[in-house]
Amino acid sequence: MNYIENIFVCLVAPLLVAVPCSRGRGRRMIIFFLSGMLACLLSSYISTFLAAVRGADIFSASVEIAPFVEEVIKLFPVAFFLLVFEPKAKEAADNAIMTAVGFATFENVCFMVENSTGDILHLAIRGFSTGAMHVVCALFIIVAIYKLWDTDWLRATGFLALIAVTITYHGIYNILVSQKGIVAAVGYAVPVITAAIVLAVFKKRNNQIYGN
Amino acid sequence: MIENTTNIIQMIAVGLCAATGFWNGHVSRKKTWVLLGFMALVFFLGDLYWQLYLISYGRTPYYSHIPYYSWYASYIFLLLLIQALREGRPNCKSRFVLIVPLFTIGMTLFYMQWGDYVSNIISGFLMTFLLLNGIDGLIYVYSSKYSDAAYGTAGERSAGLFYIAVMMSCIAEYGSWTSSCIWTGDTLSNPYFWFDMLLSISILIMPAALRKAVGV
């Protein structure tokens, strides 16, 4: 049995020390990285609870319950920042990415603790793939922030719609990687390819967004 | 077998619609095309999840409604697309649209005998808005009363086919939901599959209809 809260404490301790020692954008990045890890911890608890309540087995929990819970919880830090601090779109986009990276990092650490660290190839594939999947989901949210932020009603409805996209995308990824052989390989490749396509197609716009 | 076939045909239809939407959106930089692309992409993701689950485990998703979230999201994108097409045009004043909420509330109550309450209420809300906008758009395009109206845009005046496609998709959705309540069986005698095909056709029509309305 894994005590993921113990792993969480161990991982966040240096980051918590770093928060008061840093300033400005760097501090905000650390805080959002931390909040991504916290979101992962909470998602784990809530998914386990819902699976137990609904009598779902481990597989059903991972492909049906976890995507919904994880994507919704992962959105909370960014939504809080957007609604309370009303930042510029660029800052909000960076923070969405950092939350996703924090989430994926903690998830990968828990996976390693549970499944040993012997197979570097599998760990590398999984690490890149899970990281890319969470970042792609964050990119969907960034689209909402940039493209649908002009009016209140568009903001609300567009955000809801894009959360649905991230939940389904995550669910498809979990179904594919839960299989064996070529199907799992396709599953691992999908987020990396999606991230590459999104970055290639929108590189010009991305440069405009980030002011490069 | 037939369910798999119709699902795959539908995935091809929405995939083509998504590709056309995003490509035309990329070329023209028009919001309407991007929204059509998102509408079809989300629908495609919902279909893909459903189909993968069916192939992998031989049953439909049970513990959550992940594909349904996608399909709801695609309705939301379709509503956003219609709003973008209308460009702030006020509603046509027609008593005919009053029939829509009566119909959708009735159907929602009917479906609640089988499905869960929350998802039926969400579907009912979204369908009400889609049907209201679809009928209003058709009245605006085809009624001579509004042909000389000062409000509205030239693009929307050419959107008759698009509104017909929207109405077709709503009819197909209601038809397939109702059939799945009454009929069972994986044969072509089940109207569910025919309504599913009608939905695929309506989605295939949308890019051509939108091209006619807003161009590329």
Side-chain angles (χ1 to χ4, degrees):
Chain A
M1 184 182 171
N2 281 330
Y3 293 96
I4 59 169
E5 56 281 353
N6 297 0
I7 301 170
F8 178 77
V9 169
C10 183
L11 284 177
V12 301
L15 295 169
L16 281 175
V17 175
V19 170
C21 301
S22 53
R23 288 282 174 274
R25 191 161 172 258
R27 176 190 276 182
R28 215 164 31 234
M29 293 287 110
I30 297 171
I31 290 172
F32 275 94
F33 188 83
L34 272 171
S35 60
M37 292 171 81
L38 181 63
C40 185
L41 180 76
L42 291 176
S43 308
S44 170
Y45 287 149
I46 294 169
S47 296
T48 311
F49 171 74
L50 288 177
V53 167
R54 302 215 61 189
D57 55 27
I58 189 158
F59 162 74
S60 300
S62 75
V63 301
E64 290 191 60
I65 296 171
F68 174 76
V69 174
E70 289 183 9
E71 292 306 323
V72 171
I73 301 272
K74 202 167 68 182
L75 188 71
F76 283 162
V78 183
F80 177 79
F81 185 61
L82 283 168
L83 295 173
V84 175
F85 295 99
E86 297 183 351
K88 289 178 183 165
K90 180 185 175 303
E91 290 175 46
D94 287 343
N95 298 334
I97 294 271
M98 285 314 290
T99 308
V101 172
F103 194 103
T105 304
F106 188 64
E107 199 176 54
N108 281 346
V109 170
C110 293
F111 178 83
M112 279 195 295
V113 171
E114 195 175 332
N115 295 283
S116 87
T117 52
D119 188 352
I120 179 65
L121 182 65
H122 182 233
L123 286 178
I125 291 170
R126 203 203 122 84
F128 272 110
S129 179
T130 308
M133 191 271 294
H134 284 292
V135 169
V136 166
C137 289
L139 287 173
F140 284 129
I141 300 301
I142 290 169
V143 170
I145 293 168
Y146 279 107
K147 295 291 171 195
L148 307 169
W149 213 243
D150 19 355
T151 56
D152 283 344
W153 66 270
L154 206 59
R155 197 181 305 178
T157 50
F159 234 81
L160 277 177
L162 280 162
I163 292 168
V165 176
T166 61
I167 292 169
T168 316
Y169 184 84
H170 193 154
I172 290 168
Y173 171 81
N174 281 6
I175 289 180
L176 291 173
V177 299
S178 69
Q179 305 299 307
K180 288 188 168 63
I182 189 78
V183 180
V186 170
Y188 285 126
V190 163
V192 180
I193 294 168
T194 316
I197 291 171
V198 170
L199 289 177
V201 171
F202 294 103
K203 194 178 176 194
K204 195 175 167 188
R205 281 185 198 181
N206 216 25
N207 286 343
Q208 289 167 357
I209 287 165
Y210 285 88
N212 294 328
Chain B
M1 179 63 188
I2 290 171
E3 188 177 1
N4 283 336
T5 311
T6 54
N7 282 350
I8 289 165
I9 290 170
Q10 194 169 80
M11 279 166 63
I12 293 168
V14 288
L16 285 172
C17 183
T20 315
F22 282 122
W23 177 253
N24 287 342
H26 183 65
V27 171
S28 67
R29 303 288 161 111
K30 283 179 181 163
K31 198 174 191 172
T32 42
W33 280 111
V34 177
L35 287 169
L36 182 75
F38 267 117
M39 187 278 289
L41 174 73
V42 182
F43 207 103
F44 177 81
L45 286 174
D47 279 355
L48 183 62
Y49 181 94
W50 185 273
Q51 191 57 31
L52 283 173
Y53 200 101
L54 204 61
I55 291 170
S56 304
Y57 312 109
R59 62 177 172 90
T60 53
Y62 174 71
Y63 294 102
S64 77
H65 307 284
I66 287 179
Y68 294 92
Y69 303 140
S70 265
W71 294 325
Y72 299 151
S74 80
Y75 303 149
I76 292 174
F77 279 121
L78 191 55
L79 278 169
L80 293 176
L81 168 55
I82 293 171
Q83 293 305 316
L85 204 60
R86 289 174 61 148
E87 292 183 25
R89 172 180 66 77
N91 289 330
C92 300
K93 290 179 176 55
S94 167
R95 286 179 190 163
F96 185 65
V97 295
L98 292 175
I99 207 168
V100 171
L102 287 176
F103 171 75
T104 52
I105 290 169
M107 293 309 282
T108 302
L109 293 173
F110 174 70
Y111 297 139
M112 277 177 176
Q113 296 174 68
W114 290 274
D116 68 287
Y117 293 167
V118 176
S119 63
N120 275 313
I121 289 170
I122 294 171
S123 303
F125 259 111
L126 292 169
M127 277 295 157
T128 305
F129 286 119
L130 268 180
L131 283 168
L132 283 174
N133 278 286
I135 291 174
D136 184 80
L138 284 175
I139 292 170
Y140 174 73
V141 173
Y142 290 112
S143 167
S144 56
K145 191 178 165 188
Y146 297 96
S147 60
D148 295 327
Y151 59 81
T153 61
E156 202 193 353
R157 281 190 197 290
S158 317
L161 185 60
F162 182 78
Y163 285 122
I164 289 171
V166 170
M167 293 302 292
M168 263 173 75
S169 64
C170 292
I171 290 165
E173 286 284 32
Y174 271 110
S176 57
W177 294 339
T178 309
S179 319
S180 63
C181 294
I182 299 167
W183 284 277
T184 52
D186 197 19
T187 62
L188 280 176
S189 60
N190 187 342
Y192 174 87
F193 299 113
W194 295 103
F195 282 115
D196 224 26
M197 293 307 294
L198 181 66
L199 183 61
S200 303
I201 292 166
S202 69
I203 290 170
L204 265 181
I205 292 171
M206 282 183 188
L210 194 61
R211 181 188 288 263
K212 204 176 164 194
V214 298
V216 179

